[in-house]
Amino acid sequence: MSWWTTDETHDPARTSWVDSANGHVDFPIQNLPLGLFAPADRPERIGTAIGDKILDLKACADAGLFDPLVVQACQQPGANALLGLPVGRKRALRRRISELLSDPDYRNIVENKLFRAGDCELLVPARIGDYTDFYVGIHHANNVGRQFRPDNPLLPNYKYVPIGYHGRASSVRPSDVGVRRPYGQRKGPDADAPVFEPTARLDYELELGVWIGAGNALGRPLSIAEASHHVAGFCLLNDWSARDVQAWEYQPLGPFLAKNFHTTISPWIVTADAMAPFRTSQPSRPEGDPAPLPYLRDDNDQRHGALDLTLEVFLHTRRMRTQGAAPFRLSSGPATSMYWTVNQMVAHHASNGCNLSPGDLLGTGTISAPERSGFGSLLEISEGGARPLTLPNGETRTFLEDGDELILKAQASAAGYVSIGFGECRAVVLPAT
Ligand code: CA
C-alpha cells in the first residue's frame, strides 16, 4: 500500500464508542494522532487523542494489546522509537488502535485507559535531536524578499534549492508555554551603532512541522522515492521571530538569535497515514521556471506530495480576552503554497549524506497565500510595519505586543472523507525581563 492510499481506518462510516470523537473537529477516530502526555501528578506516557479524551498507549501496551515491537517502543521516553518503526508496523498499529476504539467489544478493557484531555499536560512529543527550518513558502519568500530587494525578491538559487538552515531544538515548546520577548541587538536605519534592547518587532511565522520517522545512516542519502518512508507525521509550528534583530544579524550566515529563542509546536503528531486522504498534487510550476533536478523529481511525489490543509491564524489580545471577545482571524490559506514538497525537503536534506533521526523536526518555512488574507506573518500583513492592522475593538498592531496570544489551526478536508484537525498551536507573549 502506498503512502497516499487509504484503508478501513479512514472509512467515513467508522465511529468510536468514545462519544465525543464522533463529529469532533480535530480528533475523530479517522485521525488518531500520537503525542506525549502527563495526567495530573503522574509520569508522562505516549497516547493518542480521541475526541476530548486521550488513550494511554503505554497502558494498552502493558495490557498486551499490541505486538512486541510496539510494546518495546511504548516503553521508551518520548515517541522517538514509535516514530522510527517501519512504515508497515506503524500502519498496523494505527489499524489496531482504530479497532480498539471503534469495536464495542473492546470497550471493557480499553475504557479505563482513557484520560480526559483537559486534565492532562501535553508535552513536546519526541526528544528532538535536530531541528531544521526551510523556506519553501514561495509567496512568503517573494513578499519578504521584495521588502529587502524590490527588483529581485527571489535569489537565483530559490527555484533549484529547497532553502533551509539549522535551527535550535532546545527551545522548541508545546502549546501554552508563554514566549518571553527576547533582548537582542538592533540598529535603526539611521543609527550609528546598534542597541541591546527587547525586540520591538516580535512576529510569528505560520509553518507546518514535519516529524521524521525512520532515519538514514550517515553518508547514505535518501532518494526522493524513499523520502516518504521517513516522514512520520505533521504538526503546526510557530517560528517566533524578532524582525529587528533578524535584519541586523542575518548577513552573511543567516538567522541566529532572532529565531532561536522559542519555537511553539502543536503537541499532536498527525501521522502520515492519517493524512493519506488529504494528499493532493503539487501545483505545477509557473511557465519558465526550471524543472527540479533529477534527485528531487518523482512523478508520484508530484501527483500526491502536497497536503490539502486549510491553515488559519488567530490573534487574541489581552484586551480582547478581558472584553470576552473572540479571537480575531489574521489569515486563512492553503498549505499548497509551498514551492517544494515535504518529500523534496527530506530528500534534499539527506542528499549530501546528512543523517536524519527519528524525532527530528523540520519546519516548512512560513506559508503565505498570494493574497493578504492568507499572509503567514505580521511582517507581510503590516508591510514591514508600514501598514498597521486595525482589530475589531479598535486596537492596532504592526507587530506583537505583550499579552497577545497567537493561535494557529489546521484542518484537512477531502470529498468523501471525515475532516481531521491538528489541534491548536497557541502561546501568549510575555514581557521582557
Ligand atoms: Ca521560519
Side-chain angles (χ1 to χ4, degrees), residues 14-344:
R14 183 166 279 205
T15 57
S16 175
W17 49 259
V18 179
D19 288 336
S20 64
N22 305 316
H24 196 277
V25 64
D26 287 321
F27 308 127
I29 192 159
Q30 287 78 8
N31 192 343
L32 303 177
L34 301 172
L36 193 66
F37 74 104
D41 304 321
R42 298 168 75 167
E44 63 191 49
R45 73 266 328 256
I46 290 165
T48 192
I50 179 77
D52 60 13
K53 301 266 189 0
I54 300 174
L55 176 63
D56 183 340
L57 294 184
K58 180 165 185 307
C60 291
D62 293 343
L65 294 171
F66 299 144
D67 76 52
L69 252 189
V70 171
V71 170
Q72 225 173 26
C74 287
Q75 285 158 349
Q76 305 301 311
N80 300 62
L82 209 52
L83 299 180
L85 290 175
V87 168
R89 292 281 184 166
K90 282 186 283 196
R91 192 165 288 146
L93 173 62
R94 173 179 164 85
R95 296 173 74 176
R96 178 62 169 156
I97 297 171
S98 179
E99 180 185 28
L100 294 176
L101 290 170
S102 61
D103 185 341
D105 287 350
Y106 286 108
R107 184 168 184 161
N108 272 346
I109 49 171
V110 171
E111 195 159 31
N112 64 357
K113 298 170 182 58
L114 288 169
F115 291 87
R116 272 173 35 92
D119 296 339
C120 300
E121 185 186 359
L122 287 162
L123 308 162
V124 171
R127 307 295 192 261
I128 304 169
D130 278 297
Y131 159 49
T132 303
D133 198 21
F134 283 85
Y135 195 54
V136 307
I138 186 160
H139 305 303
H140 171 77
N142 259 315
N143 290 338
V144 174
R146 208 172 290 120
Q147 290 185 19
F148 292 96
R149 297 174 300 275
D151 303 329
N152 186 27
L154 288 186
L155 295 172
N157 56 6
Y158 191 84
K159 293 182 173 178
Y160 290 94
V161 180
I163 300 290
Y165 71 96
H166 285 119
R168 182 85 193 162
S170 67
S171 52
V172 177
R173 291 292 180 277
S175 271
D176 293 323
V177 177
V179 180
R180 184 70 62 188
R181 180 180 297 274
Y183 278 74
Q185 278 199 31
R186 55 190 173 88
K187 192 180 94 58
D190 302 321
D192 292 332
V195 293
F196 182 74
E197 285 181 356
T199 175
R201 293 187 154 218
L202 182 62
D203 200 358
Y204 65 92
E205 291 195 334
L206 166 64
E207 303 195 16
L208 278 180
V210 178
W211 290 100
I212 296 296
N216 59 302
L218 181 65
R220 175 24 179 113
L222 298 173
S223 71
I224 178 72
E226 289 173 312
S228 66
H229 297 298
H230 299 264
V231 175
F234 307 93
C235 63
L236 285 160
L237 186 151
N238 182 349
D239 176 22
W240 300 97
S241 299
R243 299 300 183 193
D244 39 11
V245 179
Q246 183 181 358
W248 172 236
E249 76 170 6
Y250 88 105
Q251 288 179 315
L253 282 187
F256 187 33
L257 303 185
K259 297 279 191 174
N260 70 2
F261 56 92
H262 199 123
T263 302
T264 302
I265 57 168
S266 56
W268 291 107
I269 301 171
V270 176
T271 64
D273 286 328
M275 286 301 292
F278 312 109
R279 291 294 187 165
T280 187
S281 59
Q282 174 68 358
S284 52
R285 294 184 162 203
E287 187 100 358
D289 279 14
L293 295 180
Y295 79 101
L296 294 174
R297 196 167 186 179
D298 177 77
D299 285 346
N300 284 327
D301 184 47
Q302 290 297 305
R303 272 199 290 274
H304 307 284
L307 297 165
D308 219 338
L309 279 170
T310 300
L311 306 173
E312 293 180 302
V313 182
F314 295 84
L315 173 63
H316 210 194
T317 68
R318 183 187 287 142
R319 194 191 300 174
M320 289 162 76
R321 296 200 297 278
T322 308
Q323 292 168 338
F328 174 74
R329 193 171 73 182
L330 288 172
S331 71
S332 172
T336 45
S337 295
M338 297 176 16
Y339 196 73
W340 301 96
T341 66
V342 168
N343 290 332
Q344 285 175 319

Side-chain angles (χ1 to χ4, degrees), residues 181 202-204 238 240 312-321 325-331 378 381 388-393 395-409 425-429:
R181 180 180 297 274
L202 182 62
D203 200 358
Y204 65 92
N238 182 349
W240 300 97
E312 293 180 302
V313 182
F314 295 84
L315 173 63
H316 210 194
T317 68
R318 183 187 287 142
R319 194 191 300 174
M320 289 162 76
R321 296 200 297 278
F328 174 74
R329 193 171 73 182
L330 288 172
S331 71
L378 281 174
I381 293 172
L389 173 78
T390 303
L391 302 173
N393 67 358
E395 287 184 279
T396 60
R397 288 290 181 279
T398 48
F399 292 95
L400 296 170
E401 298 192 3
D402 295 345
D404 284 354
E405 182 170 37
L406 226 284
I407 305 154
L408 313 183
K409 295 186 188 185
C425 175
R426 67 156 77 210
V428 176
V429 176

